[in-house]
Amino acid sequence: MKDERLLIKEEQVLERIERARRRKARLREQAITLAHGSGGKASRTLVEAVFLESFGNPLLAPLDDAACLSIDGAALAFTTDSYVVSPLFFPGGDIGDLAVNGTVNDLAVSGADPLHLSAGFILEEGFAVDDLRRITASMRRAADEAGVTIVTGDTKVVERGKGDGCYINTAGVGVTRRPPSGDVRAGDAILVTGPIGEHGVTIMLARGELDIEADLPSDTAPLNGLLESLGPFAVRRMRDATRGGVATVLNEIATDHGLAAVVEEEAIPVRPVVRGACELLGIDPMYVACEGRAVIVVSGEDCEDALATLRAHPLGAEAAVIGRIKDDPPGLVLLKTAFGGTRIVDLLVGDPLPRIC
Amino acid sequence: MKDERLLIKEEQVLERIERARRRKARLREQAITLAHGSGGKASRTLVEAVFLESFGNPLLAPLDDAACLSIDGAALAFTTDSYVVSPLFFPGGDIGDLAVNGTVNDLAVSGADPLHLSAGFILEEGFAVDDLRRITASMRRAADEAGVTIVTGDTKVVERGKGDGCYINTAGVGVTRRPPSGDVRAGDAILVTGPIGEHGVTIMLARGELDIEADLPSDTAPLNGLLESLGPFAVRRMRDATRGGVATVLNEIATDHGLAAVVEEEAIPVRPVVRGACELLGIDPMYVACEGRAVIVVSGEDCEDALATLRAHPLGAEAAVIGRIKDDPPGLVLLKTAFGGTRIVDLLVGDPLPRIC
């Protein structure tokens, strides 16, 4: 994959910007493909061409991790995610804690304190009750760790061959305390809260599709405590880097704000086992899902203090500053490689790793 | 099925009460069956033995249609449901409006004004984009009709053979305005807002499993406007009669309050086509799902005025008083038949009609 990417040339950049400007989301496919669930370009097009087109309203339009609502005088955040990860159990976690942590994190990066979750189960006929108990016990532990309660739920059962054991949807509500300011600007620093790509690689290894033995657990974790610690700082944006990885989050930030995200390859924390697995798979760790890492844009001034604060928390011990926001080229993510080159980090069309969450 | 039910005898009643008292929910099956998704006895056992056991907390414990939350000074209701109906499109509706109306109704029967929904899609690879558009357009229309907005969403795609076209989860938040008082007592009246069993029978007919031609649309509809009109009256409980039908709702009310629900067979509105289809299927319309009908317990004094108010609304034009709450026998639902007999209306173990919603 690395080899396919282009070294940056100014005319290419200009052309791409012009293309983005002309683009109106159009879904060309007549049938859903796995790429539409990847978090990449195909997902984005589906969301814009079908969901935004049908549901379009000012609260949905930002397409953020959570919707910000004002209800009866309260400032609330509301979010949902379905989980279809395969396998259901993997080193460091399972679909249950993933479903809790994922929704907790969507609220946390919106600057909300996660409070209550719903849990909707779609079970396949024949699914082992013991596995279900293991999953619900894991959800309870994750909920306790994040300080949330599961307050409402639903269970549907589908016939054998119409599901895959267990799918879970969680929705979550929280109270918005410290929303990121949203005014990303040139000079801001870009941080990640820890090494990237671990969840995705763990799932790949758990599927046994690679002949590697590695002692790597998923990074699934609730980020609300860690992100709350950034309260004193000028935080502009926060996103959790799930499907599509850090590269996708950076692209969304660059596009949303019409600015450039320029990151240093050498500054991005990647564990050797993740790097090795990614090389064998021919994918870039920048595109691999995390389930317990956030990308944070903070003012340049607060960068060092924010980093020190993150590192003081067990879930942020390996946090790093990975780059800066710049004015040019607007809407693009640039990676400065270890060899002194610069290349565009684009959105992928699909995901090399389907059903990662 | 009718023939299997027992004519009531006092000793049977006493025995059943004693059994219920001794019962602690225990799941005997080692694998999930379709009955666990039916809304009947097996569902209840699964919920109590697995979900309540793991998640148990005071907010979840009531197992009502929605959880009542107090967040930042606001009184909120929060609920979720997944939809796996087959077929996806049927006379009078589709999975899309069903998913919106179902969640709107869960909030409405809790005395909340539904405000915002989430929408989580699990799509099967190969699903037609045109069908997805048809579903989202229908969700938008249903949301507009109910006065709610879809503010956050998620899409996952699973491989061919790991789903069934399209599953949808909706969660909903609303502000609690007029919660039912909850103090059901002897002498209260039991109302239904319209003819029962139409959704379930429509689905059966749409599956082509019965050789009947009938012009019957699903009753799927948003009940918030209708139920709001009951504001002036002493409403004790409201439930929408979905999976498991009116019989299941009445059983839950009788059990929750330790009272008897005594209903008159002749007073229960059932359209002839529904009655005819149910006879051919060997099922009782009391157990067949509605998706736009509520069961309401209101004080005996307010019964007639509440009925007149319901009937003045287009969605309640055929509302009826179907029975009364009595002290004895506690926890049971009794049906007075057209022939002057009385029989127990028990919870079914499973559902004769799987994947009805």
PDB file of all heavy atoms in Angstrom, chain A residues 30 32 54 81-82 126-127 129 136 154-156 159 162 167 243 355, chain B residues 30 32 54 81-82 126-127 129 136 154-156 159 162 167 243 355:
ATOM      1  N   GLN A  30     -24.961  -0.026  -7.082  1.00  0.00           N
ATOM      2  CA  GLN A  30     -26.374  -0.356  -6.908  1.00  0.00           C
ATOM      3  C   GLN A  30     -26.580  -1.304  -5.731  1.00  0.00           C
ATOM      4  O   GLN A  30     -27.710  -1.533  -5.316  1.00  0.00           O
ATOM      5  CB  GLN A  30     -26.897  -1.009  -8.185  1.00  0.00           C
ATOM      6  CG  GLN A  30     -26.694  -0.095  -9.392  1.00  0.00           C
ATOM      7  CD  GLN A  30     -27.673  -0.385 -10.496  1.00  0.00           C
ATOM      8  OE1 GLN A  30     -27.941  -1.530 -10.793  1.00  0.00           O
ATOM      9  NE2 GLN A  30     -28.207   0.669 -11.087  1.00  0.00           N
ATOM     10  N   ILE A  32     -24.893  -2.721  -1.824  1.00  0.00           N
ATOM     11  CA  ILE A  32     -23.983  -2.443  -0.710  1.00  0.00           C
ATOM     12  C   ILE A  32     -22.788  -3.407  -0.774  1.00  0.00           C
ATOM     13  O   ILE A  32     -22.955  -4.600  -1.040  1.00  0.00           O
ATOM     14  CB  ILE A  32     -24.738  -2.629   0.623  1.00  0.00           C
ATOM     15  CG1 ILE A  32     -25.852  -1.578   0.753  1.00  0.00           C
ATOM     16  CG2 ILE A  32     -23.802  -2.577   1.821  1.00  0.00           C
ATOM     17  CD1 ILE A  32     -25.379  -0.159   0.842  1.00  0.00           C
ATOM     18  N   SER A  54     -31.677  11.693   3.136  1.00  0.00           N
ATOM     19  CA  SER A  54     -33.012  11.390   3.663  1.00  0.00           C
ATOM     20  C   SER A  54     -33.293  12.100   4.981  1.00  0.00           C
ATOM     21  O   SER A  54     -34.367  12.653   5.179  1.00  0.00           O
ATOM     22  CB  SER A  54     -33.179   9.882   3.914  1.00  0.00           C
ATOM     23  OG  SER A  54     -33.219   9.173   2.715  1.00  0.00           O
ATOM     24  N   ASP A  81     -23.759   3.235  17.968  1.00  0.00           N
ATOM     25  CA  ASP A  81     -22.891   2.416  17.130  1.00  0.00           C
ATOM     26  C   ASP A  81     -23.356   0.977  17.224  1.00  0.00           C
ATOM     27  O   ASP A  81     -23.743   0.515  18.300  1.00  0.00           O
ATOM     28  CB  ASP A  81     -21.416   2.488  17.597  1.00  0.00           C
ATOM     29  CG  ASP A  81     -20.598   3.479  16.775  1.00  0.00           C
ATOM     30  OD1 ASP A  81     -20.860   3.626  15.569  1.00  0.00           O
ATOM     31  OD2 ASP A  81     -19.699   4.114  17.353  1.00  0.00           O
ATOM     32  N   SER A  82     -23.304   0.275  16.106  1.00  0.00           N
ATOM     33  CA  SER A  82     -23.537  -1.163  16.126  1.00  0.00           C
ATOM     34  C   SER A  82     -22.193  -1.858  16.051  1.00  0.00           C
ATOM     35  O   SER A  82     -21.250  -1.339  15.460  1.00  0.00           O
ATOM     36  CB  SER A  82     -24.400  -1.588  14.932  1.00  0.00           C
ATOM     37  OG  SER A  82     -25.670  -0.996  15.015  1.00  0.00           O
ATOM     38  N   GLY A 126     -29.268 -20.527  17.978  1.00  0.00           N
ATOM     39  CA  GLY A 126     -28.185 -21.473  18.214  1.00  0.00           C
ATOM     40  C   GLY A 126     -26.992 -20.862  18.941  1.00  0.00           C
ATOM     41  O   GLY A 126     -26.065 -21.591  19.330  1.00  0.00           O
ATOM     42  N   PHE A 127     -26.983 -19.558  19.139  1.00  0.00           N
ATOM     43  CA  PHE A 127     -25.862 -18.911  19.835  1.00  0.00           C
ATOM     44  C   PHE A 127     -25.795 -19.434  21.269  1.00  0.00           C
ATOM     45  O   PHE A 127     -26.818 -19.581  21.946  1.00  0.00           O
ATOM     46  CB  PHE A 127     -26.050 -17.388  19.815  1.00  0.00           C
ATOM     47  CG  PHE A 127     -24.887 -16.628  20.374  1.00  0.00           C
ATOM     48  CD1 PHE A 127     -23.627 -16.737  19.808  1.00  0.00           C
ATOM     49  CD2 PHE A 127     -25.043 -15.799  21.481  1.00  0.00           C
ATOM     50  CE1 PHE A 127     -22.547 -16.040  20.328  1.00  0.00           C
ATOM     51  CE2 PHE A 127     -23.971 -15.093  22.000  1.00  0.00           C
ATOM     52  CZ  PHE A 127     -22.718 -15.219  21.429  1.00  0.00           C
ATOM     53  N   VAL A 129     -25.618 -19.740  25.048  1.00  0.00           N
ATOM     54  CA  VAL A 129     -26.011 -18.875  26.162  1.00  0.00           C
ATOM     55  C   VAL A 129     -24.797 -18.525  27.020  1.00  0.00           C
ATOM     56  O   VAL A 129     -24.676 -17.397  27.513  1.00  0.00           O
ATOM     57  CB  VAL A 129     -27.128 -19.546  26.988  1.00  0.00           C
ATOM     58  CG1 VAL A 129     -27.371 -18.790  28.288  1.00  0.00           C
ATOM     59  CG2 VAL A 129     -28.415 -19.629  26.168  1.00  0.00           C
ATOM     60  N   THR A 136     -22.228 -10.284  28.304  1.00  0.00           N
ATOM     61  CA  THR A 136     -22.929  -9.315  29.156  1.00  0.00           C
ATOM     62  C   THR A 136     -22.112  -9.015  30.412  1.00  0.00           C
ATOM     63  O   THR A 136     -22.108  -7.882  30.893  1.00  0.00           O
ATOM     64  CB  THR A 136     -24.348  -9.791  29.525  1.00  0.00           C
ATOM     65  OG1 THR A 136     -24.280 -11.062  30.184  1.00  0.00           O
ATOM     66  CG2 THR A 136     -25.231  -9.893  28.285  1.00  0.00           C
ATOM     67  N   ASP A 154     -32.908  -4.379  24.433  1.00  0.00           N
ATOM     68  CA  ASP A 154     -33.823  -5.096  23.541  1.00  0.00           C
ATOM     69  C   ASP A 154     -33.076  -6.310  22.990  1.00  0.00           C
ATOM     70  O   ASP A 154     -31.863  -6.260  22.794  1.00  0.00           O
ATOM     71  CB  ASP A 154     -34.239  -4.177  22.395  1.00  0.00           C
ATOM     72  CG  ASP A 154     -35.092  -4.887  21.365  1.00  0.00           C
ATOM     73  OD1 ASP A 154     -36.157  -5.406  21.734  1.00  0.00           O
ATOM     74  OD2 ASP A 154     -34.695  -4.931  20.183  1.00  0.00           O
ATOM     75  N   THR A 155     -33.809  -7.383  22.750  1.00  0.00           N
ATOM     76  CA  THR A 155     -33.217  -8.581  22.159  1.00  0.00           C
ATOM     77  C   THR A 155     -34.066  -9.086  21.019  1.00  0.00           C
ATOM     78  O   THR A 155     -35.272  -9.237  21.168  1.00  0.00           O
ATOM     79  CB  THR A 155     -33.132  -9.723  23.200  1.00  0.00           C
ATOM     80  OG1 THR A 155     -32.546  -9.214  24.382  1.00  0.00           O
ATOM     81  CG2 THR A 155     -32.276 -10.861  22.670  1.00  0.00           C
ATOM     82  N   LYS A 156     -33.451  -9.296  19.887  1.00  0.00           N
ATOM     83  CA  LYS A 156     -34.128  -9.958  18.780  1.00  0.00           C
ATOM     84  C   LYS A 156     -33.338 -11.221  18.444  1.00  0.00           C
ATOM     85  O   LYS A 156     -32.114 -11.260  18.619  1.00  0.00           O
ATOM     86  CB  LYS A 156     -34.190  -9.054  17.544  1.00  0.00           C
ATOM     87  CG  LYS A 156     -35.026  -7.808  17.723  1.00  0.00           C
ATOM     88  CD  LYS A 156     -36.501  -8.110  17.838  1.00  0.00           C
ATOM     89  CE  LYS A 156     -37.369  -6.862  17.800  1.00  0.00           C
ATOM     90  NZ  LYS A 156     -37.099  -5.892  18.845  1.00  0.00           N
ATOM     91  N   GLU A 159     -33.068 -16.292  12.518  1.00  0.00           N
ATOM     92  CA  GLU A 159     -32.835 -17.701  12.215  1.00  0.00           C
ATOM     93  C   GLU A 159     -31.355 -17.947  11.923  1.00  0.00           C
ATOM     94  O   GLU A 159     -30.631 -17.065  11.476  1.00  0.00           O
ATOM     95  CB  GLU A 159     -33.645 -18.136  10.984  1.00  0.00           C
ATOM     96  CG  GLU A 159     -35.142 -17.911  11.081  1.00  0.00           C
ATOM     97  CD  GLU A 159     -35.541 -16.545  10.546  1.00  0.00           C
ATOM     98  OE1 GLU A 159     -34.701 -15.603  10.567  1.00  0.00           O
ATOM     99  OE2 GLU A 159     -36.698 -16.409  10.114  1.00  0.00           O
ATOM    100  N   LYS A 162     -28.845 -16.112   9.388  1.00  0.00           N
ATOM    101  CA  LYS A 162     -29.272 -14.734   9.119  1.00  0.00           C
ATOM    102  C   LYS A 162     -28.545 -13.752  10.036  1.00  0.00           C
ATOM    103  O   LYS A 162     -28.948 -12.596  10.162  1.00  0.00           O
ATOM    104  CB  LYS A 162     -30.785 -14.595   9.324  1.00  0.00           C
ATOM    105  CG  LYS A 162     -31.626 -15.531   8.473  1.00  0.00           C
ATOM    106  CD  LYS A 162     -31.595 -15.135   7.020  1.00  0.00           C
ATOM    107  CE  LYS A 162     -32.514 -16.019   6.181  1.00  0.00           C
ATOM    108  NZ  LYS A 162     -32.354 -15.764   4.750  1.00  0.00           N
ATOM    109  N   TYR A 167     -24.772  -9.666  17.365  1.00  0.00           N
ATOM    110  CA  TYR A 167     -24.499  -8.266  17.018  1.00  0.00           C
ATOM    111  C   TYR A 167     -25.051  -7.408  18.155  1.00  0.00           C
ATOM    112  O   TYR A 167     -26.090  -7.732  18.731  1.00  0.00           O
ATOM    113  CB  TYR A 167     -25.197  -7.871  15.713  1.00  0.00           C
ATOM    114  CG  TYR A 167     -24.732  -8.625  14.474  1.00  0.00           C
ATOM    115  CD1 TYR A 167     -25.626  -8.931  13.449  1.00  0.00           C
ATOM    116  CD2 TYR A 167     -23.418  -9.024  14.319  1.00  0.00           C
ATOM    117  CE1 TYR A 167     -25.215  -9.613  12.310  1.00  0.00           C
ATOM    118  CE2 TYR A 167     -22.991  -9.700  13.184  1.00  0.00           C
ATOM    119  CZ  TYR A 167     -23.892  -9.998  12.180  1.00  0.00           C
ATOM    120  OH  TYR A 167     -23.480 -10.668  11.061  1.00  0.00           O
ATOM    121  N   ARG A 243     -12.723   2.825  13.038  1.00  0.00           N
ATOM    122  CA  ARG A 243     -12.639   2.379  11.640  1.00  0.00           C
ATOM    123  C   ARG A 243     -11.924   3.408  10.779  1.00  0.00           C
ATOM    124  O   ARG A 243     -12.270   4.580  10.799  1.00  0.00           O
ATOM    125  CB  ARG A 243     -14.051   2.215  11.057  1.00  0.00           C
ATOM    126  CG  ARG A 243     -14.705   0.930  11.426  1.00  0.00           C
ATOM    127  CD  ARG A 243     -16.056   0.832  10.753  1.00  0.00           C
ATOM    128  NE  ARG A 243     -17.009   1.836  11.232  1.00  0.00           N
ATOM    129  CZ  ARG A 243     -18.256   1.956  10.779  1.00  0.00           C
ATOM    130  NH1 ARG A 243     -18.683   1.176   9.820  1.00  0.00           N
ATOM    131  NH2 ARG A 243     -19.071   2.872  11.280  1.00  0.00           N
ATOM    132  N   ARG A 355     -15.199  -5.733   9.371  1.00  0.00           N
ATOM    133  CA  ARG A 355     -15.764  -6.243  10.648  1.00  0.00           C
ATOM    134  C   ARG A 355     -14.751  -6.231  11.781  1.00  0.00           C
ATOM    135  O   ARG A 355     -14.563  -7.205  12.501  1.00  0.00           O
ATOM    136  CB  ARG A 355     -16.393  -7.627  10.442  1.00  0.00           C
ATOM    137  CG  ARG A 355     -17.616  -7.520   9.532  1.00  0.00           C
ATOM    138  CD  ARG A 355     -18.391  -8.794   9.433  1.00  0.00           C
ATOM    139  NE  ARG A 355     -18.815  -9.274  10.743  1.00  0.00           N
ATOM    140  CZ  ARG A 355     -19.310 -10.496  10.946  1.00  0.00           C
ATOM    141  NH1 ARG A 355     -19.416 -11.322   9.945  1.00  0.00           N
ATOM    142  NH2 ARG A 355     -19.680 -10.841  12.138  1.00  0.00           N
TER     143      ARG A 355
ATOM    144  N   GLN B  30     -29.209 -24.149  26.599  1.00  0.00           N
ATOM    145  CA  GLN B  30     -27.797 -23.799  26.441  1.00  0.00           C
ATOM    146  C   GLN B  30     -27.565 -22.974  25.184  1.00  0.00           C
ATOM    147  O   GLN B  30     -26.485 -22.419  24.991  1.00  0.00           O
ATOM    148  CB  GLN B  30     -26.959 -25.079  26.384  1.00  0.00           C
ATOM    149  CG  GLN B  30     -27.163 -25.910  27.645  1.00  0.00           C
ATOM    150  CD  GLN B  30     -26.018 -26.831  27.900  1.00  0.00           C
ATOM    151  OE1 GLN B  30     -25.459 -27.414  26.980  1.00  0.00           O
ATOM    152  NE2 GLN B  30     -25.630 -26.932  29.167  1.00  0.00           N
ATOM    153  N   ILE B  32     -29.462 -20.173  22.224  1.00  0.00           N
ATOM    154  CA  ILE B  32     -30.559 -19.251  21.950  1.00  0.00           C
ATOM    155  C   ILE B  32     -31.508 -19.878  20.921  1.00  0.00           C
ATOM    156  O   ILE B  32     -31.064 -20.462  19.929  1.00  0.00           O
ATOM    157  CB  ILE B  32     -29.986 -17.928  21.417  1.00  0.00           C
ATOM    158  CG1 ILE B  32     -29.153 -17.228  22.499  1.00  0.00           C
ATOM    159  CG2 ILE B  32     -31.077 -17.003  20.890  1.00  0.00           C
ATOM    160  CD1 ILE B  32     -29.929 -16.773  23.709  1.00  0.00           C
ATOM    161  N   SER B  54     -26.651  -9.488  34.723  1.00  0.00           N
ATOM    162  CA  SER B  54     -25.379  -8.815  34.458  1.00  0.00           C
ATOM    163  C   SER B  54     -25.457  -7.309  34.690  1.00  0.00           C
ATOM    164  O   SER B  54     -24.568  -6.715  35.274  1.00  0.00           O
ATOM    165  CB  SER B  54     -24.959  -9.035  32.995  1.00  0.00           C
ATOM    166  OG  SER B  54     -24.561 -10.359  32.786  1.00  0.00           O
ATOM    167  N   ASP B  81     -34.717  -0.233  20.464  1.00  0.00           N
ATOM    168  CA  ASP B  81     -35.263  -1.451  19.869  1.00  0.00           C
ATOM    169  C   ASP B  81     -34.517  -1.729  18.573  1.00  0.00           C
ATOM    170  O   ASP B  81     -34.195  -0.803  17.831  1.00  0.00           O
ATOM    171  CB  ASP B  81     -36.759  -1.308  19.548  1.00  0.00           C
ATOM    172  CG  ASP B  81     -37.644  -1.916  20.630  1.00  0.00           C
ATOM    173  OD1 ASP B  81     -37.253  -2.929  21.224  1.00  0.00           O
ATOM    174  OD2 ASP B  81     -38.731  -1.370  20.867  1.00  0.00           O
ATOM    175  N   SER B  82     -34.257  -3.010  18.335  1.00  0.00           N
ATOM    176  CA  SER B  82     -33.733  -3.405  17.029  1.00  0.00           C
ATOM    177  C   SER B  82     -34.886  -3.988  16.226  1.00  0.00           C
ATOM    178  O   SER B  82     -35.822  -4.566  16.786  1.00  0.00           O
ATOM    179  CB  SER B  82     -32.633  -4.453  17.182  1.00  0.00           C
ATOM    180  OG  SER B  82     -31.543  -3.900  17.891  1.00  0.00           O
ATOM    181  N   GLY B 126     -24.389  -6.778  -0.649  1.00  0.00           N
ATOM    182  CA  GLY B 126     -25.280  -7.107  -1.756  1.00  0.00           C
ATOM    183  C   GLY B 126     -26.675  -6.503  -1.635  1.00  0.00           C
ATOM    184  O   GLY B 126     -27.458  -6.570  -2.579  1.00  0.00           O
ATOM    185  N   PHE B 127     -26.967  -5.895  -0.500  1.00  0.00           N
ATOM    186  CA  PHE B 127     -28.289  -5.273  -0.320  1.00  0.00           C
ATOM    187  C   PHE B 127     -28.468  -4.137  -1.325  1.00  0.00           C
ATOM    188  O   PHE B 127     -27.555  -3.343  -1.554  1.00  0.00           O
ATOM    189  CB  PHE B 127     -28.421  -4.754   1.112  1.00  0.00           C
ATOM    190  CG  PHE B 127     -29.792  -4.235   1.444  1.00  0.00           C
ATOM    191  CD1 PHE B 127     -30.906  -5.065   1.351  1.00  0.00           C
ATOM    192  CD2 PHE B 127     -29.978  -2.921   1.842  1.00  0.00           C
ATOM    193  CE1 PHE B 127     -32.175  -4.588   1.657  1.00  0.00           C
ATOM    194  CE2 PHE B 127     -31.244  -2.434   2.159  1.00  0.00           C
ATOM    195  CZ  PHE B 127     -32.341  -3.272   2.063  1.00  0.00           C
ATOM    196  N   VAL B 129     -29.123  -0.775  -2.981  1.00  0.00           N
ATOM    197  CA  VAL B 129     -29.085   0.610  -2.523  1.00  0.00           C
ATOM    198  C   VAL B 129     -30.459   1.266  -2.687  1.00  0.00           C
ATOM    199  O   VAL B 129     -30.881   2.064  -1.850  1.00  0.00           O
ATOM    200  CB  VAL B 129     -27.988   1.390  -3.281  1.00  0.00           C
ATOM    201  CG1 VAL B 129     -28.102   2.878  -3.007  1.00  0.00           C
ATOM    202  CG2 VAL B 129     -26.600   0.875  -2.880  1.00  0.00           C
ATOM    203  N   THR B 136     -34.863   4.578   4.061  1.00  0.00           N
ATOM    204  CA  THR B 136     -34.519   5.831   4.753  1.00  0.00           C
ATOM    205  C   THR B 136     -35.557   6.912   4.464  1.00  0.00           C
ATOM    206  O   THR B 136     -35.862   7.727   5.332  1.00  0.00           O
ATOM    207  CB  THR B 136     -33.100   6.322   4.391  1.00  0.00           C
ATOM    208  OG1 THR B 136     -32.999   6.499   2.969  1.00  0.00           O
ATOM    209  CG2 THR B 136     -32.040   5.336   4.854  1.00  0.00           C
ATOM    210  N   ASP B 154     -25.203   5.177  12.449  1.00  0.00           N
ATOM    211  CA  ASP B 154     -24.045   4.311  12.246  1.00  0.00           C
ATOM    212  C   ASP B 154     -24.430   3.250  11.220  1.00  0.00           C
ATOM    213  O   ASP B 154     -25.578   2.840  11.146  1.00  0.00           O
ATOM    214  CB  ASP B 154     -23.671   3.639  13.573  1.00  0.00           C
ATOM    215  CG  ASP B 154     -22.539   2.633  13.418  1.00  0.00           C
ATOM    216  OD1 ASP B 154     -21.462   3.044  12.957  1.00  0.00           O
ATOM    217  OD2 ASP B 154     -22.738   1.455  13.748  1.00  0.00           O
ATOM    218  N   THR B 155     -23.460   2.838  10.430  1.00  0.00           N
ATOM    219  CA  THR B 155     -23.701   1.777   9.451  1.00  0.00           C
ATOM    220  C   THR B 155     -22.600   0.745   9.540  1.00  0.00           C
ATOM    221  O   THR B 155     -21.416   1.084   9.506  1.00  0.00           O
ATOM    222  CB  THR B 155     -23.675   2.340   8.015  1.00  0.00           C
ATOM    223  OG1 THR B 155     -24.525   3.480   7.965  1.00  0.00           O
ATOM    224  CG2 THR B 155     -24.203   1.298   7.027  1.00  0.00           C
ATOM    225  N   LYS B 156     -22.988  -0.511   9.625  1.00  0.00           N
ATOM    226  CA  LYS B 156     -22.038  -1.600   9.519  1.00  0.00           C
ATOM    227  C   LYS B 156     -22.478  -2.491   8.362  1.00  0.00           C
ATOM    228  O   LYS B 156     -23.678  -2.596   8.077  1.00  0.00           O
ATOM    229  CB  LYS B 156     -22.000  -2.432  10.805  1.00  0.00           C
ATOM    230  CG  LYS B 156     -21.469  -1.684  12.017  1.00  0.00           C
ATOM    231  CD  LYS B 156     -19.990  -1.373  11.909  1.00  0.00           C
ATOM    232  CE  LYS B 156     -19.390  -0.821  13.179  1.00  0.00           C
ATOM    233  NZ  LYS B 156     -20.001   0.419  13.664  1.00  0.00           N
ATOM    234  N   GLU B 159     -20.806  -9.634   5.760  1.00  0.00           N
ATOM    235  CA  GLU B 159     -20.701 -10.431   4.539  1.00  0.00           C
ATOM    236  C   GLU B 159     -22.043 -11.091   4.206  1.00  0.00           C
ATOM    237  O   GLU B 159     -22.846 -11.353   5.084  1.00  0.00           O
ATOM    238  CB  GLU B 159     -19.633 -11.532   4.697  1.00  0.00           C
ATOM    239  CG  GLU B 159     -18.262 -11.041   5.089  1.00  0.00           C
ATOM    240  CD  GLU B 159     -18.069 -11.031   6.601  1.00  0.00           C
ATOM    241  OE1 GLU B 159     -19.062 -10.871   7.345  1.00  0.00           O
ATOM    242  OE2 GLU B 159     -16.905 -11.176   7.033  1.00  0.00           O
ATOM    243  N   LYS B 162     -24.471 -13.373   6.441  1.00  0.00           N
ATOM    244  CA  LYS B 162     -24.297 -13.074   7.872  1.00  0.00           C
ATOM    245  C   LYS B 162     -25.342 -12.065   8.341  1.00  0.00           C
ATOM    246  O   LYS B 162     -25.211 -11.462   9.409  1.00  0.00           O
ATOM    247  CB  LYS B 162     -22.895 -12.513   8.147  1.00  0.00           C
ATOM    248  CG  LYS B 162     -21.763 -13.440   7.710  1.00  0.00           C
ATOM    249  CD  LYS B 162     -21.669 -14.653   8.590  1.00  0.00           C
ATOM    250  CE  LYS B 162     -20.461 -15.509   8.194  1.00  0.00           C
ATOM    251  NZ  LYS B 162     -20.469 -16.793   8.913  1.00  0.00           N
ATOM    252  N   TYR B 167     -30.936  -4.778   8.931  1.00  0.00           N
ATOM    253  CA  TYR B 167     -31.441  -4.700  10.295  1.00  0.00           C
ATOM    254  C   TYR B 167     -31.252  -3.257  10.763  1.00  0.00           C
ATOM    255  O   TYR B 167     -30.270  -2.607  10.404  1.00  0.00           O
ATOM    256  CB  TYR B 167     -30.670  -5.626  11.242  1.00  0.00           C
ATOM    257  CG  TYR B 167     -30.771  -7.106  10.907  1.00  0.00           C
ATOM    258  CD1 TYR B 167     -29.690  -7.959  11.131  1.00  0.00           C
ATOM    259  CD2 TYR B 167     -31.940  -7.668  10.407  1.00  0.00           C
ATOM    260  CE1 TYR B 167     -29.770  -9.322  10.856  1.00  0.00           C
ATOM    261  CE2 TYR B 167     -32.030  -9.020  10.129  1.00  0.00           C
ATOM    262  CZ  TYR B 167     -30.942  -9.848  10.345  1.00  0.00           C
ATOM    263  OH  TYR B 167     -31.019 -11.184  10.070  1.00  0.00           O
ATOM    264  N   ARG B 243     -44.530  -7.222  20.221  1.00  0.00           N
ATOM    265  CA  ARG B 243     -44.316  -8.681  20.310  1.00  0.00           C
ATOM    266  C   ARG B 243     -45.105  -9.282  21.471  1.00  0.00           C
ATOM    267  O   ARG B 243     -45.016  -8.802  22.584  1.00  0.00           O
ATOM    268  CB  ARG B 243     -42.828  -8.967  20.557  1.00  0.00           C
ATOM    269  CG  ARG B 243     -41.989  -8.923  19.344  1.00  0.00           C
ATOM    270  CD  ARG B 243     -40.554  -9.295  19.693  1.00  0.00           C
ATOM    271  NE  ARG B 243     -39.922  -8.323  20.582  1.00  0.00           N
ATOM    272  CZ  ARG B 243     -38.689  -8.438  21.061  1.00  0.00           C
ATOM    273  NH1 ARG B 243     -37.967  -9.485  20.744  1.00  0.00           N
ATOM    274  NH2 ARG B 243     -38.177  -7.509  21.855  1.00  0.00           N
ATOM    275  N   ARG B 355     -39.824 -12.880  13.989  1.00  0.00           N
ATOM    276  CA  ARG B 355     -39.355 -11.755  13.150  1.00  0.00           C
ATOM    277  C   ARG B 355     -40.506 -10.911  12.605  1.00  0.00           C
ATOM    278  O   ARG B 355     -40.570 -10.598  11.429  1.00  0.00           O
ATOM    279  CB  ARG B 355     -38.436 -12.268  12.043  1.00  0.00           C
ATOM    280  CG  ARG B 355     -37.132 -12.780  12.642  1.00  0.00           C
ATOM    281  CD  ARG B 355     -36.115 -13.143  11.622  1.00  0.00           C
ATOM    282  NE  ARG B 355     -35.779 -11.993  10.781  1.00  0.00           N
ATOM    283  CZ  ARG B 355     -35.078 -12.088   9.662  1.00  0.00           C
ATOM    284  NH1 ARG B 355     -34.643 -13.255   9.260  1.00  0.00           N
ATOM    285  NH2 ARG B 355     -34.800 -11.020   8.966  1.00  0.00           N
TER     286      ARG B 355
END
